[in-house]
């Protein structure tokens, strides 16, 4: 009888021990699956699409765990990606290509987060098409950078040679906006949200050309009917992190997609978050600008087609804009 009781007690203890081991294994798996994703972004349109995600993460309502860092310029984020102190970064498309070259293929693009944010602004009724820019002076920022490359590509696709127009470069977008405010008959190339701010300050100004649409039309003319959209910002991940935590990266992209959709559905709430994040100064400007900022979360082959076409144009203008040469196919990661 004692042996039977001892046998039963042993079974109970064994069961308790097994349950404890199973619970311990579950905890280990759970802790192994839980990884904090360190995300860097810029104080500009490329961060608008993750504002709702940032808010949810702050309130612990996300599926993944995140740490966010917002920088004033890409030069602050690149060293952190190179040193492995950031896992994911939202950066200008050409900067992603430069980072790929600097890290010897150590990063991959998982999505496009921002499409075109460029518009041609003027108060002149004589400018309604790209052809109308013949003989005009166009004010813009960034000599030798992506805005100039984009503008020259569009002008060339519409039959305008360099002798047909003049580019006047300003030190910053705010200076171009101020010039247009003083002289509405002038023509300026501006990014959002400067476009919205300029139009709100001066009713005689108008965004006469959406350069994103003009880019697509130029692609159709120059690239055998491809019609790819213009790219502004992309999301890159360190390949080492991607290989170690693919599920965390996939979850981030899913939550990024939901966040991008949320801000487009509710620009008013997004405007509040944009001001709180220091991206924009006034909610009225932010609310009007958000729908025009090209916010997206484009993945897969569509992402690769659009981004590769954009980088090809930049490479033809100046290879150094993309790090010296076009990235290889492993630059594009399809979820």
């Amino acid at each position: 009888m004692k042996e039977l009781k001892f046998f039963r007690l042993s079974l109970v203890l064994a069961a308790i021990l097994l349950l404890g081991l199973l619970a311990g294994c579950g905890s280990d798996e759970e802790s192994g699956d839980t990884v904090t994703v360190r995300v860097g972004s810029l104080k500009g349109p490329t961060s608008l699409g993750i504002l709702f995600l940032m808010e949810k993460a702050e309130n612990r309502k996300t599926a993944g765990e995140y740490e966010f860092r917002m920088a004033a310029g890409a030069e602050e984020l690149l060293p952190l990606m190179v040193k492995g102190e950031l896992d994911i970064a939202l950066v200008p498309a050409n900067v992603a290509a430069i980072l790929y070259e600097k890290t010897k293929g150590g990063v991959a693009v998982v999505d496009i987060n921002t499409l075109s944010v460029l518009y041609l602004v003027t108060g002149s009724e004589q400018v309604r098409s790209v052809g109308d820019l013949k003989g005009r002076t166009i004010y813009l920022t960034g000599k030798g950078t992506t805005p100039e490359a984009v503008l020259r590509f569009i002008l060339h696709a519409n039959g305008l040679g360099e002798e047909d127009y003049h580019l006047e470069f300003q030190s910053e977008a705010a200076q171009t906006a101020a010039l247009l405010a003083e002289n509405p008959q002038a023509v300026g190339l501006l990014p959002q949200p400067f476009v919205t701010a300029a139009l709100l300050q001066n009713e005689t100004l108008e965004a006469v050309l959406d350069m994103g649409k003009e880019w697509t039309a130029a692609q159709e003319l120059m690239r055998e009917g491809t019609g790819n959209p213009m790219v502004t910002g992309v999301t890159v991940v360190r390949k080492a992190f991607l290989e170690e935590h693919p599920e965390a990266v996939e979850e981030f992209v899913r939550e990024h997609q939901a966040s991008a959709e949320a801000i487009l559905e509710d620009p008013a709430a997004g405007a509040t978050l944009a001001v709180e994040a220091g991206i924009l100064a006034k909610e009225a400007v932010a609310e009007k600008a958000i729908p025009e900022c090209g916010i997206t979360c484009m993945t897969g082959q569509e992402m690769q087609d659009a981004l590769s076409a954009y980088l090809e144009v930049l490479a033809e203008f100046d290879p150094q804009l993309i790090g010296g040469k076009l990235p290889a196919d492993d630059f594009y990661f399809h979820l």
Side-chain angles (χ1 to χ4, degrees):
M1 189 71 173
K2 289 181 179 179
E3 290 178 355
L4 181 59
K5 288 182 177 179
F6 179 76
F7 178 70
R8 288 174 176 171
L9 180 60
S10 297
L11 287 177
V12 172
L13 290 173
I16 292 172
L17 179 60
L18 180 60
L19 288 172
L21 288 172
L22 288 173
C25 288
S27 298
D28 289 343
E29 288 176 3
E30 190 174 76
S31 62
D33 287 342
T34 302
V35 57
T36 299
V37 183
R38 300 165 299 176
V39 182
S41 64
L42 302 174
K43 286 188 176 181
T46 53
S47 288
L48 292 174
I50 60 168
L51 287 179
F52 277 71
L53 172 55
M54 292 173 67
E55 182 190 39
K56 287 177 65 178
E58 186 177 351
N59 295 321
R60 299 185 178 276
K61 293 181 179 180
T62 53
E65 292 189 8
Y66 304 102
E67 287 180 2
F68 291 95
R69 176 172 184 156
M70 198 172 289
E75 66 278 359
E76 185 178 334
L77 298 183
L78 262 64
L80 300 178
M81 287 291 286
V82 172
K83 291 186 290 186
E85 295 179 12
L86 284 177
D87 305 310
I88 289 175
L90 287 77
V91 295
N94 71 304
V95 171
I98 292 171
L99 185 59
Y100 175 86
E101 189 66 24
K102 283 184 176 295
T103 58
K104 301 186 186 307
V107 299
V109 176
V110 292
D111 68 49
I112 292 171
N113 56 56
T114 315
L115 296 174
S116 172
V117 297
L118 290 173
Y119 293 80
L120 205 71
V121 178
T122 184
S124 172
E125 295 183 358
Q126 278 70 50
V127 179
R128 286 297 178 270
S129 70
V130 176
D132 294 336
L133 295 172
K134 186 172 183 178
R136 294 270 181 172
T137 294
I138 305 166
Y139 297 89
L140 70 159
T141 59
K143 182 175 177 58
T145 62
T146 55
E148 181 185 357
V150 165
L151 179 58
R152 288 194 186 276
F153 174 73
I154 292 171
L155 292 170
H156 176 67
N158 284 269
L160 297 184
E162 292 187 16
E163 70 282 359
D164 293 323
Y165 58 86
H166 176 67
L167 302 185
E168 187 75 33
F169 292 94
Q170 310 297 301
S171 60
E172 56 186 24
Q175 187 178 354
T176 303
L179 186 151
L180 292 171
E182 293 176 5
N183 179 16
Q185 294 301 303
V187 178
L189 183 70
L190 282 172
Q192 289 287 4
F194 289 96
V195 175
T196 298
L199 299 188
L200 287 174
Q201 291 171 3
N202 192 333
E203 294 181 355
T204 62
L205 293 176
E206 183 181 355
V208 293
L209 294 178
D210 178 339
M211 300 308 278
K213 292 180 180 178
E214 298 301 331
W215 170 275
T216 300
Q219 283 278 312
E220 291 174 348
L221 288 169
M222 305 293 288
R223 303 281 168 170
E224 299 179 357
T226 53
N228 290 303
M230 188 202 300
V231 181
T232 295
V234 301
T235 304
V236 294
V237 59
R238 288 189 300 109
K239 285 183 181 176
F241 183 82
L242 175 61
E243 291 168 3
E244 189 174 356
H245 305 290
E247 296 86 358
V249 175
E250 291 174 4
E251 186 59 51
F252 169 81
V253 174
R254 283 193 291 270
E255 297 199 277
H256 179 193
Q257 176 74 56
S259 179
E261 291 173 355
I263 195 170
L264 291 173
E265 291 172 0
D266 192 352
T272 300
L273 296 177
V275 172
E276 290 175 356
I279 297 174
L280 290 161
K282 298 180 180 180
E283 289 188 21
V285 173
E287 186 175 352
K288 286 186 175 294
I290 283 170
E292 312 301 328
C293 281
I295 299 167
T296 188
C297 184
M298 185 185 294
T299 60
Q301 192 61 47
E302 186 181 17
M303 170 266 289
Q304 182 171 345
D305 291 345
L307 180 53
S308 61
Y310 178 70
L311 294 178
E312 285 173 9
V313 171
L314 298 188
E316 290 173 5
F317 176 76
D318 181 0
Q320 295 309 311
L321 275 179
I322 61 167
K325 60 182 179 180
L326 289 167
D329 285 344
D330 66 337
F331 180 57
Y332 308 93
F333 183 76
H334 295 199
L335 295 173

